[in-house]
Amino acid sequence: MKKLALVLGSLLVVGSVASAKEVMPAPTPEPEKVIEYVEKPVIVYRDREVTPAWRPNGSVDVQYRWYGETENKTPSENDWANPDNNNAGRLQTETKINFTEKQRLEIRTRNFHTLRSDKSNAENDQLRLRHFYNFGKLGSSKVNATSRLEYKQANGDAGKKHVEASVFFDFADYIYSNNFFKVEKFGLRTGYIHDWAGHSSGKDGQEFGKGTSNKAILNFESEYTLPLGFSAELNVYNGYDWHNKKYGITNRADKKHGYYGAMEAYIYQHTPLYKTNNLELSFDFEGGYDPYTWHQYKIVDNDGDRRTYQVYMLPTFQAAYKPTEFVKLYAAAGAEYRNWAVTKESDAKDWRWQPTAWAGMKVTF
């Protein structure tokens, strides 16, 4: 019995050990990887404007102007009247083309015709061409340089002709400006002018009885913006003139050369009376010296005086309508007050009113 009990006990111990070896602990599962998606913020600049690429641009302005009859004009009082445009009309076309960022071309034609007058004013017809090249700032300075080549021809092929080559140096950035007073243009122009008439370009200049002349110029030109709708312009032209043909001098021998000058001084004012998105009615005013001239000698062509001047004022009511962004229609009516014919400084007189009106269309592209 004891042996049996020992045997059974031994078997029980061996079975327990074997069972213990077969039982393995369950593996602990690894935690799942968590993948996080982080969205980066996208910043949108809604107020940032992208500058479009530059392209050629310009405008075409076609205008017709009517000149009425000078106030109180009678056959024996012609000195009161506008000698060039009395009871007359003018068709003007002006084209401006910016064909590069630095170059532009301006073409202006003016054609005059009579309405109720028998006197022809075709001698005032004019073609003017101007080419500009902007050189930009000179070195590290604030001076901007722009060249101008100009050709003018009056009254067709037989009329007066004019060529000019000049450079304008603008010092406006050196002049103090603020919200009440702004200098738009302020500088000097230097250059050369050659004038002739018809086909006359020789030394004697006898053809058509006109002759030729050459001028060296040094001009001052300026423009200003003022408060309350005002603006101003002041120009002083200076030159030395030498002729291939003598011109008449009062009480002295004829001369071939001499100093000359002129001053233009204008004031402008624009007052809006009614305005919507595409329509504006306004009152406009301009006036001043147009021009005041002087010469080294008493020129026969200046009625024997060294100095002459015209002073004028032109109030008008104007309307401008823009049916589209690129088209502008406009019209104006008023009267001009000026000493039309008697301009000698010593006895300038006869300031008289002349009614005038104009209408036109300007298209930009």
Side-chain angles (χ1 to χ4, degrees):
M1 291 297 292
K2 289 182 180 181
K3 291 182 178 181
L4 181 60
L6 290 171
V7 172
L8 293 174
S10 299
L11 293 174
L12 181 61
V13 171
V14 173
S16 298
V17 172
S19 298
K21 288 182 179 180
E22 292 178 359
V23 178
M24 297 294 294
T28 303
E30 294 183 3
E32 295 183 358
K33 293 182 179 180
V34 179
I35 300 176
E36 296 183 0
Y37 297 92
V38 179
E39 295 185 2
K40 294 183 178 180
V42 178
I43 302 175
V44 179
Y45 297 95
R46 300 184 182 277
D47 58 344
R48 178 176 295 175
E49 296 183 0
V50 179
T51 304
W54 190 94
R55 63 178 182 83
N57 59 85
S59 64
V60 178
D61 191 340
V62 180
Q63 180 192 104
Y64 181 81
R65 181 167 179 174
W66 166 75
Y67 299 90
E69 185 171 303
T70 308
E71 173 193 21
N72 293 334
K73 177 185 178 296
T74 67
S76 61
E77 295 170 330
N78 289 328
D79 284 346
W80 292 8
N82 181 346
D84 296 322
N85 298 301
N86 202 66
N87 286 319
R90 184 193 75 187
L91 179 64
Q92 173 179 289
T93 302
E94 188 169 17
T95 303
K96 298 181 180 181
I97 304 173
N98 301 304
F99 49 91
T100 72
E101 291 184 90
K102 292 183 176 293
Q103 297 186 71
R104 77 178 189 270
L105 178 69
E106 296 181 1
I107 306 171
R108 190 186 72 183
T109 61
R110 287 178 169 177
N111 298 100
F112 294 83
H113 59 272
T114 59
L115 296 174
R116 295 173 54 196
S117 174
D118 295 331
K119 179 185 176 182
S120 173
N121 55 355
E123 68 273 8
N124 297 320
D125 291 356
Q126 186 186 87
L127 167 67
R128 188 184 74 182
L129 305 176
R130 282 179 170 177
H131 173 271
F132 298 85
Y133 187 88
N134 186 354
F135 293 97
K137 305 296 183 183
L138 298 180
S140 59
S141 72
K142 297 181 181 180
V143 180
N144 193 87
T146 303
S147 66
R148 186 179 76 188
L149 300 175
E150 179 179 271
Y151 173 78
K152 289 193 297 187
Q153 177 175 299
N155 193 22
D157 191 49
K160 296 179 180 180
K161 297 178 178 65
H162 164 104
V163 291
E164 174 190 324
S166 64
V167 179
F168 180 69
F169 300 95
D170 194 346
F171 298 85
D173 288 344
Y174 283 103
I175 309 301
Y176 175 75
S177 298
N178 54 34
N179 293 333
F180 297 96
F181 175 80
K182 183 178 180 181
V183 178
E184 305 287 352
K185 177 181 178 182
F186 190 97
L188 298 174
R189 179 180 302 280
T190 182
Y192 165 80
I193 295 174
H194 179 68
D195 293 326
W196 75 102
H199 300 283
S200 173
S201 59
K203 183 176 180 180
D204 57 358
Q206 295 298 320
E207 188 174 357
F208 297 102
K210 296 295 184 181
T212 65
S213 69
N214 301 281
K215 300 178 177 70
I217 61 172
L218 180 61
N219 304 335
F220 169 75
E221 302 174 13
S222 64
E223 297 176 1
Y224 312 89
T225 297
L226 307 173
L228 302 176
F230 282 90
S231 60
E233 182 177 352
L234 176 63
N235 305 312
V236 180
Y237 306 105
N238 301 282
Y240 185 79
D241 184 358
W242 63 95
H243 287 60
N244 288 332
K245 180 184 177 182
K246 296 179 180 180
Y247 52 90
I249 305 298
T250 302
N251 299 326
R252 297 186 63 176
D254 292 348
K255 299 291 184 181
K256 282 189 175 182
H257 52 79
Y259 294 99
Y260 73 95
M263 180 191 71
E264 297 171 342
Y266 307 113
I267 188 75
Y268 308 95
Q269 205 277 332
H270 176 75
T271 302
L273 302 176
Y274 175 79
K275 189 173 183 178
T276 63
N277 290 334
N278 54 3
L279 174 65
E280 181 184 75
L281 303 178
S282 64
F283 173 79
D284 290 79
F285 174 87
E286 64 176 84
Y289 280 95
D290 186 39
Y292 182 96
T293 69
W294 59 89
H295 200 280
Q296 183 177 356
Y297 304 108
K298 294 184 177 182
I299 307 300
V300 173
D301 291 344
N302 286 355
D303 294 327
D305 206 338
R306 292 176 57 191
R307 290 176 290 272
T308 67
Y309 70 89
Q310 287 187 344
V311 174
Y312 82 106
M313 65 177 180
L314 174 61
T316 57
F317 288 96
Q318 301 198 30
Y321 175 69
K322 296 191 68 174
T324 71
E325 180 182 357
F326 305 103
V327 178
K328 177 182 177 181
L329 306 175
Y330 61 90
E336 185 172 359
Y337 188 68
R338 182 190 290 261
N339 57 321
W340 296 103
V342 184
T343 62
K344 292 170 56 177
E345 184 186 48
S346 57
D347 55 10
K349 61 180 179 179
D350 292 340
W351 277 264
R352 292 294 184 269
W353 289 99
Q354 181 186 41
T356 186
W358 60 86
M361 177 177 68
K362 183 177 182 179
V363 179
T364 59
F365 56 87

